[in-house]
Every structure is written in C-alpha cells, then in structure tokens.
C-alpha cells in the first residue's frame, strides 16, 4: 500500500504555471506590504539547488508538496510530520572510519599520560601506535573498552567541552578540514526544506547522543532535544554543593538496527512519515516508518561517488548497504545515487 | 546567585504606561493591516486570568517579560528557553491516588477473566476486592507486579488504545468526571503563556511516558516528543510481516527524584531555565535547573486548598512536599499557594 502511495505521488504532474504564479506574486508584492514573503519565495526559488533534476529530486518535492497541500488526499497533519535522519554517512561522511571513533582514538592519546599502563595494554597500545589493523582484531569488545575509557568517568559538562575542543582542533585526514565541514550540502537543503514545510526533523543515529548534541544545532539546525542516539548510563550527584550528572562506564542503549525503532518510539513517541538513512543499520527504522498508514517517504543514500566522496555498499565494513538496497528496490523506496543526484557534496565546494 | 537574580526580577517596576500602549496599539490596528496582532493583544490581555494578583503571579510575569525582552540583562536565547513541568499533582490532580494506579487497577479487573489465578493471588486479589489497605501492604514490589501485569505483554499500539479507552470511560471517584477534566486551569494558562513566549515546554514526570503520550497533546498542547517519563523495556519485532514494538515486563527507567535530572539530560540535553513541580520527587530537577547560569525560575505548587482540591504537604504519602518546601524557602524559589493564588482550579469551573 505504501508503494502505491509513493508511486502515485511520483505521477503528480509538474506545475506548469510557475510563470503565472511568479507574475501574480511579484504584482502582489508591488501593491501590498502585507504579503507573506516566505510563500512567494517558495514559488520562485528551488528548495534543493544542490540536487540535480531527476526522479530522486522530483519524488522528494512531489511528496512534500502533496502532503502539505490542504485538501490533498495525501495531506499529513503538522504534528504527524516527523522526519528522521541517520547521521553517519547520511548527513556527514563516515570514512575512513566513523568520526566518533577518531575522536575516541585522539582522546586515548590525550588521556594516555594519566594511564601509563596503556603503553603495553591492548587495545590502547594499538591506538597509541596508530595500528588500525591491530585495533580491529579486538572487535566490538575492544571498541567498547575504548569508548568507556574515553567517554565515561567525567561529568556531562566536561564531556561536552571535550567534544567541542576536539571539533575545533581536529582535521579530517583526507580533506584536511574540520569534521563538521564534511556535512552533505544537499542534505542540509533537504533538512531546511522539510523544516520550512513544518516537518519536525530528528537525528536517529547509532552514534553517541552526547557526541552529537554539542554541534548539531549549529550545523544542521536541529535542536538538541531532537537527537536520538546511543548512550551510556549517567547519574545525578551533588558534589561540593554543585549538582552534576556523571557519566558511568556502562552502556545504557544502543540506537542501531532494531534499536532505532525502539529509540524513535522512546524519544519521539510517534511513527515517522519520512525516513532517511544509508545503511543496513537503518533498515528497521525504514520498515517501521513504512508500516504506518497514509503518506510516507523512505529515502536511502547510496554512496556511489568514488571521486568526490567514497563508493561502497554491499561488502563494506562501515555503512554496509546490502539488505537495505534490496528492500528499497522491492518496495519502491527512493534511492539517492550520490554521483548522479548531487551537484555538490560538501558546503565548502560552493566557495571554491 | 540565583536568588539574587530572582529577587531582582521581582523588583522590576510594573508597567505604568499600559493605557498609552493600548491606545497606540489600537491606533496602529486602525491604520494598518500589517501589525502583529499577537504582540498588541499581549499588552491588552492578562495571560494568566485564573491567577489572583499577587507576588506569585507577578514573579512569573516579571520573569517571562524580563527574559524575553531583547537587550534585557536577563534575556534568554530562544533555544535555551526550556521549561519542565511535573505532571501528577502539578498539571492535574493526584488524589485519592495517582490516576495511573487507578488505570492499572481497572485494567487488572478487565484482564482478570484471562487470569483466574488472580482471584487468590496477591496483590491482585486485593485489587479485585477493592481492598486498598491490603494492596498497600505489598508496597512498591506489589505495585510493580501490578504495573508489569497491566502495562506489558502487548504492543505499543495496543497499550495506547487501552489508555485511550480507559480515559474515555473512567470517572474520577470524587468529581464524577473524566480524569482529564482534572487538569489545573491556571497551569494550562501558564503553559500557553510560556509557549507564546517561545519557551519549549516539557513534561518530566514519574508517571509512565506511554501512559501520558496518548492525551498530553490534546489536553496540554505539549507534543508527544516533549514528554519525559518512566518506561519499561521494549523490543522491535516483525510479526506476520508487520513491524511492531512489544512491551516487556522489565523496568527501563524510573523518572523520579534523582532520575529526573538524568531524564532531562537524556531527552532534552539542555539544562532547563524554568522548573515547575509540587513534591520532593521534583526537588532534584529544581536543584538541577537552579544550578545553571543566568536567569532561571523555580516554581513549587503547594496544595493548600482542602475545599476545592486537597491540602497536603509534609506528611503525605502521595506527593509529599517536605524538603522541597524548606529548600524553596531557603533559596527564594516561588511557591504557589493554591488556595490564595488560584481563582479557579479546574477548567469545568469556568462553565459552571
């Protein structure tokens, strides 16, 4: 049923009276100072200028137009306009490894003077020696050890400061730029486009919720309380008369795969109508979104650009997109072909 | 420092040019269709009509005016305008017992045909026999048994339907009205007043998050994703091709006392500037709110009206307000005296 709805929407004819509307809008502007400039502007300007024209872009704009048009069969009430976005590899890059892992590794180095034992203790030794191959041998358990050693044991204020300090100083190994420069320009436009159309946009990421919150508001225009992510346990304490929240070395919630619909239900409490992801880790939240009644939109980002970004899918160790690609095809979900659909990848390309 | 700020705010002189402003506003309305009616209306109408004039009301309106006035020393940026409200005994009544417990007890009765063993098994037997005294003997563990038997084992959709069905049919034993009629009119006005001044209002309750979400949007104008509460564990499953979230009989998080600042940090990720509660269970979120820098407002509701509602504080088994009352006094937090500060308690009084 969802397929039918989405396919139908693709067939909504393109607006051929743009010129007439623009003329009316300009005339109205000349004769009145009380028009609503936002609406008129929407008629005249492309909300997604970094997207190439084609079926992907058209399916997005047709969806938004049809669900926001009063009286439309596809109309969605404003409170139901919940849009969820994965973060790593979907709003910003995730290569050579998840940026949060680079943060954790840098933090191991920073904290190592306090831990002389790490020089001979794995997996910390591998990190200090920049031996990625050795590090990977310790698998998930090794990564968890590193996360707990670098993300816990401090207060939430201290951790936030550590994230901000790192982001201000660290550079991406390939692009030699701050990691927050590696957000996708077309996705920034999509977020803004949805927000202007009264969608409430949420991040739903496997990444740490407290790793994201310090910067998402400035970078994506997404409020801190609209972030769903993985978390460790915390506890409230009054230390020397000052209330603090301390971060404990114990997992609280992993917001990935089957965890994503659970996280969405826990934090948002409403089934999304728009779901954007890029890996098999996002498949369950796609299925959850697709299972609702009425209009909805499932969007997969396929990393196909080996020159401007990276190309990977079925056999990738990071951001693997295998089952998701099949399911997208089966169900008629929209798949972004990064190479063909995006004019630019990063915002800094616009200034070059 | 917070005391000083709050006290200073109380001394901000009342606006004595209301008439002049009203005159200008009306004139502007006559000569232009481009004015901003919301602003003009704010000058003319009382945002808190169900509150008696006095220091409590004045301290609230002075705070809101001073933190929203551009250029004010007390100005708070819009994203930082986070206001948190306890629910039971703060936005609606909590007597004779928490309404969610009445829901759970009614649900035991409803489900009892499927559980013939409950007729002889405590604490269920006590519920089926309406023996409150006996029930209380089983303490927290007994209540937890009842919550797990009545709140888990179904899907989130099924649980939501159960809550809605109950609210549509159940009546409060004293007022013989739906439980959602027993919300406090003055607090509804306060929520609206804050929302109109760009505060993001959140519920932070010890009650179940999924017990509140089905009705808070309609009743309080608070979106479902702005509810923080206690929760049980859930899991995502695909049953007969249909994705569902199942509710497990295991506690996930208790959002009470020390849990409240933890819940606020987890769900909101930002320290509130406005905190409203009524019991010692709200003390830690008051302390957490008070510990921030800049302007902030701590508000305790003191149940002092034995005629129109209930009067209770230091020795109450439900909604005990003891340490909180002392700390409010010490720190100069604002305390609502329900009997004196509120013209009406419930919205239905306005229609009578």
């Amino acid at each position: 049923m969802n397929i039918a709805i989405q396919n139908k929407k693709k067939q909504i004819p393109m607006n051929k009276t743009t010129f007439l509307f623009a003329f009316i809008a300009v005339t109205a502007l000349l004769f009145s100072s009380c028009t609503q400039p936002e609406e008129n502007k929407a008629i005249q300007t492309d909300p997604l200028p970094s997207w190439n024209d084609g079926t992907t872009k058209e399916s997005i704009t047709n969806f938004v137009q049809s669900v926001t048009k009063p009286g439309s069969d596809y109309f969605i009430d404003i409170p139901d306009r919940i849009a969820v976005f994965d973060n790593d590899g979907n709003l910003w890059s995730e290569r050579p490894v998840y940026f949060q892992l680079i943060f954790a590794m840098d933090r191991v180095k920073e904290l190592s003077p306090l831990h002389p034992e790490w020089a001979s203790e794995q997996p910390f030794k591998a990190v200090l020696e920049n031996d990625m191959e050795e590090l990977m041998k310790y698998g998930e358990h090794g990564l968890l050890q590193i996360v707990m050693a670098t993300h816990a044991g401090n207060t939430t204020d201290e951790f936030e400061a550590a994230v901000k300090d790192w982001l201000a100083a660290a550079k991406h190994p390939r692009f030699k730029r701050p990691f927050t420069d590696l957000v996708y320009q077309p996705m920034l436009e999509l977020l803004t486009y949805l927000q202007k159309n009264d969608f409430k946009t949420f991040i739903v990421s496997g990444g740490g919720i407290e790793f994201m919150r310090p910067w998402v508001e400035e970078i994506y225009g997404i409020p801190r309380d609209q972030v769903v992510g993985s978390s460790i346990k915390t506890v409230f304490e009054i230390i020397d008369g000052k209330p603090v929240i301390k971060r404990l070395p114990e997992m609280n919630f992993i917001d990935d795969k089957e965890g994503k619909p659970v996280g969405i239900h826990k934090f948002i409490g409403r089934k999304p109508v728009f779901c954007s992801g890029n890996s098999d880790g996002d498949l369950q939240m796609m299925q959850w979104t697709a299972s609702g009644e009425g209009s909805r939109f499932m969007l997969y980002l396929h990393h196909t650009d080996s020159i401007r970004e990276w190309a990977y899918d079925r056999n990738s160790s990071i951001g693997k997109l295998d089952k998701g690609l099949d399911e997208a095809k089966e169900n008629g979900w929209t798949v972004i072909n990064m190479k063909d659909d995006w004019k630019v990848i990063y915002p800094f390309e616009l200034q070059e």
Side-chain angles (χ1 to χ4, degrees), chain A:
Chain A
M1 203 183 77
N2 295 317
I3 315 166
I5 289 171
Q6 205 169 338
N7 285 345
K8 261 193 216 160
K9 265 192 288 294
K10 281 184 186 164
Q11 290 157 15
I12 292 170
M14 292 289 282
N15 189 342
K16 287 170 188 166
T17 54
T18 306
F19 266 110
L20 181 61
F21 276 116
F23 176 72
I24 292 169
V26 169
T27 312
L29 267 170
L30 285 171
F31 286 94
S32 164
S33 57
C34 307
T35 50
Q36 292 159 300
E38 216 50 65
E39 270 184 35
N40 295 326
K41 230 160 72 186
I43 295 168
Q44 295 171 305
T45 58
D46 181 353
L48 302 173
S50 298
W51 295 66
N52 286 313
D53 289 335
T55 51
T56 305
K57 179 173 176 171
E58 201 177 316
S59 70
I60 294 170
T61 54
N62 279 2
F63 173 78
V64 173
Q65 284 166 18
S66 64
V67 304
T68 56
K69 192 180 163 185
S72 156
D73 286 349
Y74 309 103
F75 187 77
I76 298 175
D77 286 333
I78 290 178
D80 286 320
R81 291 185 201 162
I82 301 293
V84 292
F85 287 80
D86 176 47
N87 185 42
D88 296 309
N90 195 55
L91 294 179
W92 72 353
S93 290
E94 59 186 350
R95 292 281 166 143
V97 292
Y98 297 127
F99 296 171
Q100 191 174 356
L101 179 55
I102 303 178
F103 163 72
M105 291 172 69
D106 284 351
R107 210 164 143 70
V108 165
K109 291 167 197 166
E110 192 190 329
L111 295 173
S112 62
L114 301 170
H115 295 274
E117 72 280 11
W118 286 352
S120 57
E121 200 177 83
Q122 293 293 11
F124 302 101
K125 186 167 177 281
V127 173
L128 294 175
E129 291 170 353
N130 285 315
D131 189 344
M132 210 64 194
E133 203 179 330
E134 180 70 19
L135 173 60
M136 287 307 152
K137 286 185 193 163
Y138 300 91
E140 270 191 30
H141 179 69
L143 293 181
L144 203 64
Q145 278 182 282
I146 287 167
V147 167
M148 290 311 167
T150 56
H151 284 58
N154 46 12
T155 68
T156 51
D157 284 349
E158 287 163 353
F159 184 73
E160 169 139 351
V163 172
K164 283 182 172 167
D165 289 349
W166 179 76
L167 281 174
K171 293 269 159 54
H172 186 275
R174 174 176 160 191
F175 290 96
K176 317 293 181 204
R177 287 175 166 276
F179 287 91
T180 46
D181 278 11
L182 300 195
V183 296
Y184 302 134
Q185 175 62 26
M187 295 305 262
L188 295 181
E189 292 167 8
L190 177 56
L191 284 170
T192 303
Y193 179 46
L194 291 172
Q195 287 160 3
K196 284 195 173 173
N197 280 282
D198 297 318
F199 282 79
K200 209 164 179 176
T201 51
F202 290 83
I203 291 173
V204 178
S205 168
I209 194 166
E210 299 208 49
F211 176 73
M212 295 183 281
R213 277 182 171 150
W215 54 274
V216 295
E217 208 158 86
E218 186 192 334
I219 302 293
Y220 299 138
I222 293 179
R224 294 169 74 108
D225 60 289
Q226 289 168 217
V227 180
V228 183
S230 297
S231 58
I232 59 177
K233 292 202 170 160
T234 61
V235 64
F236 175 81
E237 281 180 17
I238 296 187
I239 296 178
D240 299 331
K242 192 179 146 56
V244 296
I245 295 180
K246 281 179 72 177
R247 295 169 56 78
L248 307 180
E250 194 183 338
M251 276 312 296
N252 174 56
F253 179 63
I254 296 181
D255 190 54
D256 198 29
K257 299 188 178 75
E258 288 82 3
K260 289 205 172 189
V262 169
I264 287 169
H265 188 74
K266 187 188 304 207
F267 279 73
I268 308 176
R270 182 170 242 137
K271 200 174 277 187
V273 295
F274 189 106
C275 182
S276 160
N278 74 301
S279 78
D280 283 358
D282 302 316
L283 180 57
Q284 288 81 0
M285 74 167 173
M286 294 282 179
Q287 294 167 333
W288 182 238
T289 303
S291 73
E293 287 175 17
S295 308
R296 47 209 57 244
F297 198 86
M298 282 59 67
L299 182 66
Y300 252 125
L301 171 57
H302 189 187
H303 290 263
T304 52
D305 197 320
S306 63
I307 309 295
R308 296 183 300 171
E309 209 241 5
W310 285 271
Y312 54 95
D313 48 41
R314 295 193 188 269
N315 298 311
S316 173
S317 64
I318 295 164
K320 180 175 176 174
L321 179 60
D322 180 30
K323 284 184 198 167
L325 211 49
D326 292 336
E327 205 146 322
K329 212 171 197 174
E330 273 168 41
N331 297 311
W333 299 344
T334 299
V335 176
I336 302 166
N337 179 332
M338 184 185 266
K339 187 167 173 287
D340 293 342
D341 286 328
W342 286 0
K343 273 186 212 164
V344 296
I345 309 289
Y346 302 120
F348 59 78
E349 294 170 30
L350 296 171
Q351 284 121 44
E352 276 168 359

